Amino acid sequence: MASSTDDTAGQAIGRLGFTSGQVIQEFGYDDDVDDALRAAVEATTGTSLVDEDYDDVTDGVIIWFREDDGDLTDYLVDAMSALDDVGPIWVLTPKAGRDGHVSHSDIEEAATTSGLHAMGTYAIAPDWSATRLASRGRGK
């Protein structure tokens, strides 16, 4: 029997938009990440998440980012270096009121500096919110 955490992770995958065969790069992994969400991404894609050192083309990016993790713009620039032009970038941050929370305005500022824009933010896991970033279009 699946737990409610597994059910929540499964529903989150639909929102992330990942599909079978995709290679998803992960930045900011630490012991506080949501393991059920990670497992759901891997089950959906059929591939293991690749780490920050992966240097081939990727289909999407997940960035686990906390307030004290440094400069989000640097993470975004690194993430875009191997990302297919149409692949999504998801910035996962601790929800409001939790240690390491990052304000939406900080995410938007880093996105703008990187030539991206925030598409929307969703509750993606019990302790995490996800903000989808996309390129600004033809003028990038």
Side-chain angles (χ1 to χ4, degrees), residues 8 12 26 32 55 58 63 66 73 76 79 83 87 95 100 111 116 120 129-130 134 139:
T8 302
E26 178 181 47
D32 63 344
D55 62 358
T58 62
I63 300 172
R66 303 141 200 95
T73 302
L76 295 174
L83 182 65
K95 288 181 178 177
L116 301 167
S129 294

Side-chain angles (χ1 to χ4, degrees), residues 40-95:
V41 169
E42 291 179 337
T44 298
T45 62
T47 60
S48 296
L49 293 169
V50 297
D51 68 14
E52 300 169 12
D53 296 326
Y54 188 78
D55 62 358
D56 203 350
V57 176
T58 62
D59 301 300
V61 173
I62 293 172
I63 300 172
W64 302 94
F65 191 79
R66 303 141 200 95
E67 181 180 41
D68 296 329
D69 281 352
D71 187 353
L72 179 55
T73 302
D74 290 342
Y75 277 84
L76 295 174
V77 169
D78 289 346
M80 290 187 298
S81 68
L83 182 65
D84 181 274
D85 287 340
V86 297
I89 296 175
W90 287 95
V91 177
L92 280 60
T93 57
K95 288 181 178 177

Side-chain angles (χ1 to χ4, degrees), residues 10-21:
Q11 292 169 357
I13 292 304
R15 188 159 264 178
L16 294 175
F18 297 141
T19 59
S20 180

